[in-house]
Amino acid sequence: MDQQSQLAVILGSDPVPFETLISHLMSSSNEQRSHAEALFNVCKQSEPDALCLRLAHLLQVCAQPDTRAMAAILLRKLLTRDDSYIWPRLNVSTHSSIKSVLLNQIQVETAQSLSKKLCDTVSELASSILPENGWPELLPFMFQCVSSDSPRLQESAFLIFAQLSQYIGDVLTPFIKDLHTVFLKCLNENSNADVKIAALNAVINFIQCLTSSSDRDRFQDLLPAMMKTLTEALNNGNEATAQEALELLIELAETEPRFLRRQIVDVVGSMLQIAEAESLEEGTRHLAIEFVVTLAEARERAPGMMRKLPQFISRLFAILMRLLLDIEDDAAWHTAEVEDEDAGETSNYAVGQECLDRLAISLGGNTIVPVASEQFSTYLAAPEWQKHHAALIALAQIAEGCSKVMVKNLEQVVSMVLNSFNHSHPRVRWAAINAIGQLSTDLGPDLQNQYHQRVLPALAAAMDDFQNPRVQ
């Protein structure tokens, strides 16, 4: 059968061939899939109206959730403003059919993952046609959904608001008062976790799209309610939701740190509490740490905001030091027969290392060195080898950010490291040698010029440690 006849069958009165075509687009057989793709592309070129209407129809009638999801994805791709954007080629009647089917399906679709795909499709289309007033029904529909009693509709509306803020925030700005009311009400009064996360996402995206600081200030009073979304999720043991909330708040800290300025003490205090809570999952605690470190890094947008909170810096430093204690002593590590230098290191350990480095670079030696030296002396006085190891690793991590201040205190720094060359545990000796390597880069050439006569003999002696090839 030639392509034209195939097209006639696919787009004919019997719906089955079209459904088969869509299911073949998801086929695991390459041959079947590429054949279906070729046919789909011919439909797109020669019959765009019929194709879009067929996809919209599938969304309404098909019993297979997979096929409905695929129809939503394909429709979104067709309606996305890129090289294959076909909206301008469609008839006016097709336009109105598609718009009404999409809004109708949002109201009746019960599967959450499919609802989200529909919201994506609506957002993509709206981002292209709303600015030219091509969908006057959409915003009234969304405000109606937000104030409905259905959590599903509320969530859908917030998901669309979130995406539209990213694409065309200026179209939403005239509705700033209504949005403020809607967001505040939902974050304070709604009990559904999915709705609250969708609202949080929408608020944060909307704040980022506002160009004037007075507009952003209007949303300041939402911050306690935004934080409550996070703490409620944790109190209900819903860590997956809490992690979503943390990821959104990290994005806010990165792009609009000044928004957090007035309530910074409460916000950072809550985050450090989460980071310290050993009953929580590692992933949750790591995200809370990431939030505070991100805020410390926001120098261009909010200079010195974290430096004004010395009590938090020492708490955060202590949290990161504790993460470095999470290291397993793997017997094979000492023989160096395994290539892996990082054996025994956990994800806690990796986060501790990375964040100490970032914190020192963002806050600098004048802020970090006093905090570090106090905590290092406690760690080095402790009996556990892990604490000695942690102090040396931390020293190497902060050297780059603190180099100017450390060079002024070279005697202390070098003595601390060389004393550890004699520690009974090989991992500590290894960490001391590793620290010398790092300090030679970050504190050179001062270290080499002033201390070669002490450092070189210590390194040469460590080469005789035949029982510990890794140290050698």
Side-chain angles (χ1 to χ4, degrees), residues 159-179:
L159 288 171
I160 297 170
F161 273 128
Q163 294 194 50
L164 289 185
S165 303
Q166 279 179 308
Y167 300 143
I168 47 164
D170 47 344
V171 175
L172 296 180
T173 317
F175 301 94
I176 192 164
K177 272 173 105 159
D178 305 328
L179 285 167

Side-chain angles (χ1 to χ4, degrees), residues 26-220:
M26 301 183 277
S27 165
S28 52
S29 138
N30 282 342
E31 195 184 341
Q32 201 171 48
R33 203 172 56 249
S34 17
H35 180 65
E37 280 165 3
L39 273 176
F40 186 84
N41 285 330
V42 176
C43 289
K44 188 166 81 180
Q45 292 316 317
S46 56
E47 298 285 348
D49 285 280
L51 175 62
C52 289
L53 291 169
R54 266 303 152 88
L55 287 169
H57 186 64
L58 262 194
L59 284 177
Q60 295 173 287
V61 299
C62 181
Q64 260 51 49
D66 287 359
T67 310
R68 288 211 308 284
M70 190 62 181
I73 291 167
L74 292 168
L75 201 50
R76 191 196 65 186
K77 285 183 176 164
L78 291 175
L79 304 178
T80 298
R81 195 171 228 165
D82 59 15
D83 308 340
S84 59
Y85 183 52
I86 64 169
W87 186 257
R89 288 170 49 206
L90 304 176
N91 296 328
V92 177
S93 63
T94 306
H95 284 175
S96 51
S97 299
I98 287 176
K99 290 188 291 193
S100 73
V101 166
L102 287 172
L103 297 190
N104 192 47
Q105 283 312 109
I106 281 183
Q107 294 177 79
V108 297
E109 182 55 65
T110 50
Q112 193 184 30
S113 66
L114 231 161
S115 275
K116 286 186 170 170
K117 289 188 174 66
L118 283 167
C119 292
D120 289 343
T121 307
V122 167
S123 306
E124 284 288 359
L125 177 58
S127 68
S128 306
I129 65 173
L130 256 190
E132 282 89 56
N133 199 24
W135 202 345
E137 310 84 356
L138 179 63
L139 290 174
F141 168 78
M142 283 159 65
F143 280 112
Q144 194 187 321
C145 288
V146 163
S147 44
S148 76
D149 295 333
S150 152
R152 211 169 34 75
L153 288 183
Q154 292 171 333
E155 183 187 13
S156 295
F158 283 127
L159 288 171
I160 297 170
F161 273 128
Q163 294 194 50
L164 289 185
S165 303
Q166 279 179 308
Y167 300 143
I168 47 164
D170 47 344
V171 175
L172 296 180
T173 317
F175 301 94
I176 192 164
K177 272 173 105 159
D178 305 328
L179 285 167
H180 177 276
T181 310
V182 158
F183 291 149
L184 191 61
K185 188 171 165 32
C186 172
L187 291 173
N188 274 326
E189 296 171 19
N190 205 302
S191 56
N192 183 296
D194 290 335
V195 176
K196 290 186 89 146
I197 276 290
L200 183 67
N201 185 12
V203 171
I204 288 176
N205 280 336
F206 190 61
I207 291 166
Q208 290 178 65
C209 83
L210 293 170
T211 44
S212 91
S213 51
S214 61
D215 281 348
R216 277 197 297 275
D217 282 349
R218 275 193 166 167
F219 284 78
Q220 277 284 317

Side-chain angles (χ1 to χ4, degrees), residues 424-465:
S424 60
H425 199 289
R427 263 202 119 126
V428 176
R429 299 204 291 280
W430 179 88
I433 295 165
N434 170 66
I436 286 289
Q438 192 60 52
L439 297 172
S440 299
T441 306
D442 295 326
L443 310 183
D446 304 80
L447 177 80
Q448 291 87 331
N449 290 336
Q450 296 171 40
Y451 291 94
H452 58 272
Q453 74 287 14
R454 281 170 62 186
V455 171
L456 281 172
L459 288 172
M463 288 180 192
D464 291 337
D465 187 356

Side-chain angles (χ1 to χ4, degrees), residues 317-334:
F317 202 89
I319 290 168
L320 298 177
M321 289 287 288
R322 282 200 294 277
L323 293 181
L324 294 181
L325 298 175
D326 191 2
I327 186 164
E328 294 143 18
D329 197 21
D330 179 356
W333 182 87
H334 301 278

